[in-house]
Amino acid sequence: MKLSIRDLELQGKTVFIRVDFNVPLAAGGQEITSDKRIRASVPTIQYALEQGAGVILASHLGRPKGKPNPELSLKPCAVRLSDILQRPVKMAPDCIGSEVAAMKPAPGEILLLENLRFHAEEEKNDAEFSKKLASLADVYVNDAFGSAHRAHASTVGMIRYMPRAAAGLLMDKELEYLTKVTKNPPRPCVAILGGAKVSDKIDVIQNLMKFVDKLLIGGAMAYTFLKAKGEPVGNSLVENDKLDLASKLMAEAGDKLMLPVDHVVAAELKEGADCKTATTIPDGMMGLDIGEQTVARFASIISASESVIWNGPMGVFEKPPFDKGTVAIAKVVADSDVLSVVGGGDSEKAIKAAGVADKISHISTGGGASLEFLSGIELPGVAALTDK
Ligand code: AMP
């Protein structure tokens, strides 16, 4: 177990909170198109303020490649956070240096540092840069689960120079649910994997196979498995260099692994394209979603289970009518009385499109980080936190 912010004495301390303010931007960096990530950090910030701490917030934003770039400034995040909290949020001109140190927030005050990645040293996990970040505060908290799979100065390096490092409330919740479903899941435990490529999820498949009771595969990655089995896949998206691997994974998984038995097929990948459902994919067509029989089979497994891990859409859900399978599975997961943990931006979008987000036990905020966690890898940003 890792130390939580709740275990810290924060009264009169300056706390450095690594947040994930890597928000989508429009209008040359002036407009925040979704403030979801900022809102997700609010409970931790409020908790620290209530405990009497002065709060320093730090994040990366986009890929400025080690140089200042006004289009990737965190200034709009300071303004938005101030609106949300209804209190001032000071903006620092940089993330290190004497000018920033002089802006040290008093108890109850908030200072947002400028984009960490304006310095190449952040991604290089540079020791001197780490020391400079650490010198700004008394205690360290990481609430940026989405960056915990990166060993950077703000997620790993600076912790060496801080007396204690704790998980924020959001990080705590991520670790609690992801640990629950992977270490000792209520059984039967079913994993649903979808998305474009087998190659992106090999480690996840191999690790999940070790402990889940069933592994349901949908999305384009199913076609690499079906082709490896010798089934016709038409023009479906297939990774031809992964056919041997797919055969090996199927042999290892045995009847744990279930593939689609019917498909929504079309001649072109286009919103509103003419389509039909087929059990065998005709030549010249491609599978773009799971069919109704597959939905029914997957649904009966999901509703008989006690825990569900889901990552990746069942079809091209961005382009109706190829969203139906993903939305149907989202509804089944939500309506089943199960511990459900969903990861990855696309699965989250599908859950929201189905209007069932409030019936999912936990939707992970970190796509890459949750995939690495499901692969069984200890995330460097988590490993670096102080043990309880
Ligand atoms: P990933 O990032 O690996 O989770 O993949 C998500 C992407 O996979 C989405 O953009 C989907 O449109 C795409 N996808 C899912 N199923 C299919 C399919 N049958 N054919 C082509 N693309 C698909």
Side-chain angles (χ1 to χ4, degrees):
M1 282 281 276
K2 293 295 178 181
L3 202 68
S4 155
I5 188 170
R6 291 195 190 87
D7 304 316
L8 299 175
E9 174 51 64
L10 292 173
Q11 175 65 45
K13 300 265 170 64
T14 306
V15 57
F16 184 106
I17 310 181
R18 175 56 161 101
V19 288
D20 180 3
F21 283 1
N22 187 26
V23 293
L25 292 170
Q30 299 309 300
E31 192 193 319
I32 298 171
T33 53
S34 163
D35 62 6
K36 192 182 74 180
R37 290 182 168 161
I38 300 177
R39 290 183 185 276
S41 70
V42 164
T44 299
I45 298 169
Q46 257 164 347
Y47 177 84
L49 294 170
E50 281 161 16
Q51 297 296 307
V55 171
I56 294 180
L57 302 175
S59 177
H60 77 277
L61 174 58
R63 297 201 169 120
K65 303 209 169 91
K67 284 196 223 77
N69 174 350
E71 292 192 359
L72 294 173
S73 167
L74 281 162
K75 275 182 205 146
C77 294
V79 174
R80 181 64 60 92
L81 179 64
S82 172
D83 284 349
I84 295 170
L85 295 175
Q86 291 293 299
R87 62 199 299 163
V89 175
K90 273 193 279 174
M91 184 68 212
D94 198 348
C95 60
I96 50 165
S98 51
E99 206 182 331
V100 179
M103 293 177 84
K104 185 180 173 105
E109 285 181 1
I110 307 169
L111 174 68
L112 174 60
L113 304 184
E114 187 51 284
N115 196 340
L116 292 157
R117 289 195 190 166
F118 285 179
H119 294 262
E121 294 92 331
E122 158 67 357
E123 287 179 84
K124 288 186 188 143
N125 195 8
D126 177 81
E128 279 310 307
F129 181 73
S130 296
K131 260 188 220 169
K132 286 180 191 160
L133 288 176
S135 71
L136 297 172
D138 304 312
V139 61
Y140 174 92
V141 168
N142 192 346
D143 213 24
F145 178 72
S147 300
H149 58 316
R150 307 272 182 235
H152 292 167
S154 67
T155 56
V156 171
M158 65 180 290
I159 293 178
R160 205 173 320 138
Y161 310 103
M162 307 287 316
R164 301 178 96 197
L169 300 177
L170 175 64
M171 175 77 93
D172 241 4
K173 184 166 180 261
E174 292 276 4
L175 298 178
E176 179 195 334
Y177 278 95
L178 284 163
T179 306
K180 232 189 252 176
V181 288
T182 51
K183 294 289 170 314
N184 197 8
R187 292 194 181 280
C189 169
V190 54
I192 313 165
L193 282 184
K197 293 185 182 162
V198 182
S199 51
D200 290 343
K201 293 182 187 165
I202 297 168
D203 297 338
V204 179
I205 297 173
Q206 274 172 330
N207 191 48
L208 291 177
M209 258 167 27
K210 290 186 204 152
F211 69 87
V212 299
D213 299 293
K214 282 277 181 226
L215 185 54
L216 314 179
I217 306 264
M221 64 192 253
Y223 300 112
T224 300
F225 286 100
L226 289 169
K227 183 164 181 185
K229 274 179 78 178
E231 291 196 21
V233 293
N235 292 340
S236 304
L237 198 63
V238 165
E239 285 175 280
N240 282 310
D241 58 336
K242 294 288 176 289
L243 295 175
D244 289 345
L245 174 77
S247 300
K248 188 174 147 269
L249 291 172
M250 283 188 288
E252 282 172 28
D255 60 5
K256 260 190 193 180
L257 192 141
M258 288 179 68
L259 294 169
V261 290
D262 62 342
H263 320 271
V264 179
V265 298
E268 50 180 352
L269 201 182
K270 193 176 88 184
E271 187 161 336
D274 259 353
C275 63
K276 61 177 184 176
T277 303
T279 48
T280 304
I281 301 172
D283 278 351
M285 295 233 170
M286 51 191 149
L288 295 173
D289 194 10
I290 54 173
E292 281 165 21
Q293 279 186 52
T294 306
V295 169
R297 280 193 180 205
F298 285 6
S300 71
I301 304 269
I302 293 164
S303 39
S305 69
E306 291 293 327
S307 54
V308 172
I309 302 166
W310 181 10
N311 188 292
M314 298 288 98
V316 185
F317 80 104
E318 310 92 323
K319 295 190 166 63
F322 308 110
D323 57 337
K324 286 206 184 103
T326 306
V327 170
I329 295 296
K331 289 193 174 138
V332 172
V333 174
D335 290 340
S336 309
D337 189 16
V338 293
L339 171 70
S340 47
V341 175
V342 175
D346 285 332
S347 322
E348 180 184 353
K349 275 186 213 143
I351 297 272
K352 297 236 162 98
V356 295
D358 56 340
K359 290 196 196 158
I360 301 297
S361 315
H362 181 64
I363 301 177
S364 179
T365 53
S370 68
L371 267 185
E372 288 203 16
F373 194 104
L374 294 177
S375 306
I377 299 169
E378 187 171 32
L379 308 179
V382 176
L385 299 177
T386 310
D387 286 314
K388 258 200 207 183

